[in-house]
Structure formats: C-alpha cells, structure tokens
Amino acid sequence: MTAPLRPTSLRNLNLLLRSAPRFVQNQFRAHSTSSVNPEEVSHFNALASTWWDPHGSSRLLHLMNPLRHDFIRGCHASQPKPASTSNLRYLDIGCGGGIFAESAARLPSTGSVTAIDPSPEVLAVAKAHAKRDPGLHEKLTYLNTSIEGLPLPKSVEEQYDVLSLFEVIEHITHPAEFLDRCAPFVKPGGWIVMSTIARTWTSWLTTKVVAEDIARIVPRGTHDWEKYINEEELRGYFLKERGWNSPRVMGVVYIPGFGWKEVAGSEKVGNYFFGIRKDEVEV
C-alpha cells in the first residue's frame, strides 16, 4: 500500500499548483544569520550511525561520489591554460561522514583536505572511519565548525584550490550570504564545485514524493523543495560582478540498478553539478 503524502509534500504541491508558472524564489536576498540550520543538523545527526553503510540512508551519496571526482577533473581540464593539478588543497564544507573527503585525500594529486561540519555527532563518525586508514592521517583534517567559524585566509597559501559543497546548498536557508562567506577561501584560479537540485515540478515529484514518500530511498525530511536552487540562479549570482568565470554544469539522473549517470540537459529538471572558477587576479 502506498504511503500517504506528508504535510510538507502537500504544502509544496499546493505552492506549485498556485504559482509554478511564475514562481521564482528570491533565495539570494541578503540576511544576517548563520548558515547553520538547527533542524537540518538534527536531521543529519539522526542518520550519523548509518553514514558509511553503502546500502543505508546515504546510499545515493556513495553512488554519486565517483561523479564528484569526474566533475572536478572536468573543471580542471577546461581551464583556459594548463594549471598544476598536483598537491591540491581541498576545503570540503558540510562534509558529513566524510564520503567525499576521504576519497579526495586518497588521490595522489591531493596535498591536503580540510573537511568541516557543524554536527559533532556526524563528524565523530567521520573521524572514527578515517582512523581505519593510517594513510589518511597526514592529509585529512576534520574540524567541527561552520564556515562562519573558520578563520579567513591571510594569504594565497592559506586559500584552497577546490572548495566543495556537495549536497549542501539546498540545506542552506540563505545561500547568497553563505556563498559570500565561502568565496575568500578559494585561491585565484581555484574552483567552487557543488552538487544540488533544480527547483522544478520534476524535482518535487522525484525527490519529495517518490524518493521520500513512496520508495523511501532517502529518509523523509531530507530535502525542502523550497530551498532548491536552479542553475541559472547560481550562474547569475556568481556572474553579477567580476571575480568569477568559466561556469560549468553537468546534469545527472539516478537510474535504479545503474546508479548516477550524466544526462545532458537534466540540470534543468533535477540533480546537477555546478562549478565556477575564481579569476586569476582578484579584483
């Protein structure tokens, strides 16, 4: 028997029916607040114990991880002139249990990975799992903090080649302020890379109704459709002023039995990767 829709799904459906043709959420207004949402932290705390179970609540993240690295390699390969891709410094924000952070630290091209998360419970899982591999000790550092609690870099040497926001920004209440805070951590020529979800009819149906309410392949309450961000909104945010260039996008679709696959154009309807490069000379 199919489970009934939750009130949040019904509320979002009502919003779609009333205003979908003209709906443009003004998510990029300025606010003065922390990026940490206590309700989001509480939700992911409850999932901490199953983070490293490849068949558990984070299964889709495990399956997506190879595409994360493919996307970053594609970003570097697209640069207008060859740049060094050795000894890269990563800052992984909202690292959760460390699925991406660990895999990035194991790459021979990686110099160091600093991974941060505001949840001590989830970070404890990440640290415990990393201890199983002594080779990670010198390259991977976990910090229990939000981006607001991380000291700003004082030099280019303290900035990062790659700042990753995988499955993070759709959990941020005020994304513009959050991205403003992230920008100083990226060195000239470095990249911000992220994966997120477009705010469309299709994504509401697939991520809220099917994935959470019917198939339950992700825990209920994982996503808030109203916080989803369309690719053109991200592009507009970064390109409204000088300082960023070469935006890249890759749409992906989850196919049961096959995992995540790149599908051209799917960034307009659902999950996608987005990357953008910081200008070589800061302005």
Side-chain angles (χ1 to χ4, degrees), residues 6-7 9 32 58 86 117 130 132 139 153 161 163 190 204 247 275 281:
R6 302 190 72 204
S9 293
S32 296
S58 298
S86 62
D117 199 280
R132 301 180 184 182
K139 295 175 70 174
D161 299 283
L163 185 150
W204 174 81
V281 178

Side-chain angles (χ1 to χ4, degrees), residues 77-118:
S78 73
Q79 294 183 163
K81 60 181 180 180
S84 174
T85 54
S86 62
N87 203 37
L88 296 176
R89 284 168 45 83
Y90 287 78
L91 176 59
D92 186 29
I93 299 176
C95 64
I99 295 171
F100 173 74
E102 275 201 21
S103 61
R106 291 192 178 95
L107 296 175
S109 59
T110 298
S112 66
V113 177
T114 299
I116 69 172
D117 199 280

Side-chain angles (χ1 to χ4, degrees), residues 36-233:
V36 179
N37 183 320
E39 292 182 1
E40 296 279 5
V41 172
S42 177
H43 174 79
F44 287 105
N45 282 347
L47 306 179
S49 63
T50 63
W51 204 279
W52 280 96
D53 180 358
H55 303 290
S57 61
S58 298
R59 178 172 177 265
L60 295 187
L61 299 183
H62 286 273
L63 293 173
M64 183 180 279
N65 207 44
L67 278 181
R68 293 169 170 176
H69 292 289
D70 288 346
F71 184 71
I72 293 172
R73 283 191 288 268
C75 288
H76 285 140
S78 73
Q79 294 183 163
K81 60 181 180 180
S84 174
T85 54
S86 62
N87 203 37
L88 296 176
R89 284 168 45 83
Y90 287 78
L91 176 59
D92 186 29
I93 299 176
C95 64
I99 295 171
F100 173 74
E102 275 201 21
S103 61
R106 291 192 178 95
L107 296 175
S109 59
T110 298
S112 66
V113 177
T114 299
I116 69 172
D117 199 280
S119 166
E121 288 86 353
V122 172
L123 211 61
V125 172
K127 290 179 178 179
H129 194 272
K131 286 181 180 179
R132 301 180 184 182
D133 183 352
L136 296 175
H137 177 69
E138 297 295 328
K139 295 175 70 174
L140 177 58
T141 301
Y142 284 116
L143 299 175
N144 180 207
T145 184
S146 65
I147 187 65
E148 291 85 1
L150 203 62
L152 290 171
K154 297 178 180 179
S155 65
V156 172
E157 288 71 29
E158 292 183 359
Q159 292 176 310
Y160 295 87
D161 299 283
V162 179
L163 185 150
S164 54
L165 301 168
F166 290 126
E167 307 302 309
V168 167
I169 199 159
E170 68 270 21
H171 301 288
I172 301 296
T173 304
H174 306 304
E177 195 167 89
F178 173 69
L179 291 172
D180 286 345
R181 181 68 185 184
C182 291
F185 291 88
V186 184
K187 67 172 54 175
W191 288 82
I192 287 182
V193 295
M194 65 183 80
S195 54
T196 189
I197 310 171
R199 192 180 61 256
T200 64
W201 285 85
T202 304
S203 67
W204 174 81
L205 180 64
T206 58
T207 66
K208 295 301 297 179
V209 178
V210 176
E212 291 191 18
D213 292 336
I214 298 176
R216 300 189 182 183
I217 56 177
V218 295
R220 282 181 163 179
T222 295
H223 296 112
D224 181 346
W225 178 86
E226 294 180 50
K227 292 181 181 177
Y228 292 0
I229 297 176
N230 295 329
E231 178 263 340
E232 60 267 22
E233 292 172 324

